[in-house]
Amino acid sequence: MGDSLLKCVEGRDDEIIEQCICDVARTVQKSLDIPLESIRIVVEEVSKNRFAVGDKLKSEV
Amino acid sequence: MGDSLLKCVEGRDDEIIEQCICDVARTVQKSLDIPLESIRIVVEEVSKNRFAVGDKLKSEV
Amino acid sequence: MGDSLLKCVEGRDDEIIEQCICDVARTVQKSLDIPLESIRIVVEEVSKNRFAVGDKLKSEV
Amino acid sequence: MGDSLLKCVEGRDDEIIEQCICDVARTVQKSLDIPLESIRIVVEEVSKNRFAVGDKLKSEV
Amino acid sequence: MGDSLLKCVEGRDDEIIEQCICDVARTVQKSLDIPLESIRIVVEEVSKNRFAVGDKLKSEV
Amino acid sequence: MGDSLLKCVEGRDDEIIEQCICDVARTVQKSLDIPLESIRIVVEEVSKNRFAVGDKLKSEV
């Protein structure tokens, strides 16, 4: 088991996200020394006006 | 309290998801012996190119 | 670190959600006495037919 | 894919939790019509003073 | 529905966490204009060596 | 923003987990081309009898 949930701000090309998923999977596989098949990666993209650092929305900066 | 967050791949009919929510709620109610009203079920559907087993995206298989 | 993930039913105006994010950030900042910059707030909105209390979907009530 | 994260209040016997995990897995398998092997269930137990309905901690009621 | 999952670094007194839970519940109640009873707050505390900003563990800084 | 929540089975040495956190942070930084400081990694370890693939607990296999 090496389940990773990655959240990032929306707006990237599919290829970027897809490559990131593969890269994280391989990193977890090496770091934890577990089979690739036991790893699951999910990416959730968040709207800029649904995410804030402190009280500053990402859509404002 | 018996909160369940269920993630599945997108693309199913609403009726399937809605029935699944009810089924899981009743299963948790029986297994944990808690009132139905204390149970919350949320389903999140994930795009096939935002989910991978190992480095294989669901959209590729 | 004071990361808050807030889930609510979809259908509210953006201003309501955005104000809620700011309010929660400031509340966490005061309660935990941490810098605003160390706080992250994400809001996820859930469809009424993807959320149930017990076996009653929100879309049914 | 049928990943379920179940949160409940701590204090139950292991057998109860373990049976619940199996029951939820089989329910999801039937409801979504997916192979058992594609399903993952995780249970997280929450302390009574780390969970509240409204502003009432579970440890107070 | 106004479910909030708050993660913070472990090491605070119970009273601080409990007060924070109540404060967040009331903030969400006011901001979203929903009944207190429909709100659930869970706090999860994370060890300093299980959390990093970038590649710096909280336990190192 | 590049928040990653990684869940794995408990029982690994701290150094393994800590190195994994750093490796994932750097992988996300490169893949998404974002500053390291905007990335947060949290690892949660799950007991073998709180996690199942299908209806088989990790503690049974």
Side-chain angles (χ1 to χ4, degrees):
Chain A
M1 182 204 204
D3 287 7
S4 187
L5 173 62
L6 180 67
K7 296 195 187 195
C8 61
V9 172
E10 68 177 8
R12 287 181 176 84
D13 289 344
D14 278 357
E15 300 83 56
I16 300 285
I17 301 289
E18 293 170 6
Q19 187 61 47
C20 181
I21 290 175
C22 294
D23 292 346
V24 171
R26 289 173 197 144
T27 298
V28 172
Q29 185 249 322
K30 278 179 213 153
S31 290
L32 298 186
D33 192 23
I34 53 177
L36 264 178
E37 310 85 65
S38 70
I39 294 170
R40 289 185 176 201
I41 313 285
V42 171
V43 170
E44 292 179 1
E45 289 153 293
V46 181
S47 299
K48 286 185 177 181
N49 64 346
R50 293 295 179 270
F51 165 59
V53 176
D55 56 359
K56 296 286 174 218
L57 287 165
K58 191 73 182 174
S59 54
E60 293 169 347
V61 291
Chain B
M1 180 206 206
D3 287 6
S4 188
L5 172 63
L6 180 67
K7 297 194 186 194
C8 61
V9 172
E10 67 177 8
R12 286 181 177 84
D13 290 344
D14 278 358
E15 300 82 59
I16 300 286
I17 301 288
E18 293 170 7
Q19 188 61 48
C20 181
I21 290 174
C22 294
D23 292 346
V24 171
R26 288 172 197 148
T27 298
V28 171
Q29 185 250 322
K30 278 179 213 154
S31 291
L32 298 185
D33 191 24
I34 52 178
L36 264 178
E37 310 85 65
S38 70
I39 294 171
R40 290 186 175 200
I41 313 285
V42 171
V43 170
E44 292 179 1
E45 288 153 292
V46 181
S47 298
K48 287 187 177 179
N49 64 346
R50 293 294 181 269
F51 165 59
V53 176
D55 57 359
K56 296 285 174 217
L57 287 165
K58 192 72 182 173
S59 55
E60 293 170 347
V61 291
Chain C
M1 180 205 206
D3 287 7
S4 187
L5 172 62
L6 180 67
K7 296 195 186 194
C8 61
V9 172
E10 66 178 8
R12 286 180 177 85
D13 290 345
D14 278 357
E15 301 82 59
I16 300 284
I17 301 288
E18 293 170 7
Q19 187 61 47
C20 180
I21 290 175
C22 294
D23 292 346
V24 171
R26 288 171 197 148
T27 298
V28 172
Q29 185 248 324
K30 277 179 216 154
S31 291
L32 298 186
D33 192 23
I34 53 178
L36 263 179
E37 311 85 66
S38 70
I39 293 171
R40 290 185 176 202
I41 313 285
V42 171
V43 170
E44 292 178 2
E45 288 153 293
V46 181
S47 298
K48 286 186 177 180
N49 64 345
R50 294 294 180 268
F51 165 59
V53 176
D55 57 358
K56 295 287 173 216
L57 287 163
K58 192 72 181 172
S59 54
E60 293 169 349
V61 291
Chain D
M1 181 204 206
D3 287 7
S4 187
L5 172 62
L6 179 67
K7 297 195 187 195
C8 61
V9 172
E10 68 177 6
R12 286 182 177 84
D13 290 343
D14 278 358
E15 300 83 58
I16 300 286
I17 301 288
E18 293 170 6
Q19 188 60 48
C20 180
I21 290 175
C22 294
D23 292 346
V24 171
R26 289 173 197 146
T27 298
V28 172
Q29 185 249 324
K30 276 178 218 155
S31 292
L32 298 185
D33 191 22
I34 53 177
L36 264 178
E37 310 86 64
S38 71
I39 294 170
R40 291 185 175 201
I41 314 285
V42 171
V43 170
E44 292 178 1
E45 288 152 294
V46 181
S47 299
K48 287 186 178 181
N49 65 345
R50 293 293 179 271
F51 165 59
V53 176
D55 58 358
K56 296 286 174 214
L57 288 163
K58 191 72 182 173
S59 54
E60 292 169 350
V61 291
Chain E
M1 181 203 205
D3 287 7
S4 187
L5 172 63
L6 179 68
K7 297 195 187 196
C8 61
V9 171
E10 67 177 6
R12 285 180 176 85
D13 290 344
D14 278 357
E15 300 82 60
I16 300 285
I17 302 288
E18 293 169 6
Q19 187 61 48
C20 179
I21 290 175
C22 294
D23 292 347
V24 171
R26 288 173 198 147
T27 297
V28 171
Q29 185 249 322
K30 276 178 218 156
S31 291
L32 299 186
D33 192 23
I34 52 177
L36 265 179
E37 311 84 65
S38 70
I39 294 171
R40 290 184 176 203
I41 314 285
V42 171
V43 170
E44 293 179 0
E45 289 154 291
V46 181
S47 299
K48 286 186 177 179
N49 64 345
R50 293 294 179 271
F51 165 60
V53 176
D55 57 358
K56 296 287 174 216
L57 287 164
K58 192 72 182 174
S59 54
E60 293 170 347
V61 290
Chain F
M1 182 203 205
D3 287 7
S4 187
L5 172 62
L6 180 67
K7 297 195 186 196
C8 61
V9 171
E10 68 178 4
R12 287 181 176 84
D13 290 344
D14 278 357
E15 301 83 58
I16 300 286
I17 301 289
E18 293 170 6
Q19 187 61 48
C20 181
I21 290 174
C22 293
D23 292 346
V24 171
R26 289 173 195 146
T27 297
V28 172
Q29 185 249 323
K30 277 178 214 155
S31 291
L32 298 185
D33 191 24
I34 52 178
L36 264 179
E37 311 85 65
S38 71
I39 295 170
R40 290 185 175 200
I41 314 285
V42 171
V43 170
E44 292 179 1
E45 290 153 293
V46 181
S47 299
K48 287 186 177 179
N49 63 347
R50 293 293 180 269
F51 166 59
V53 176
D55 58 358
K56 296 286 174 214
L57 288 164
K58 191 73 181 172
S59 54
E60 291 171 348
V61 291

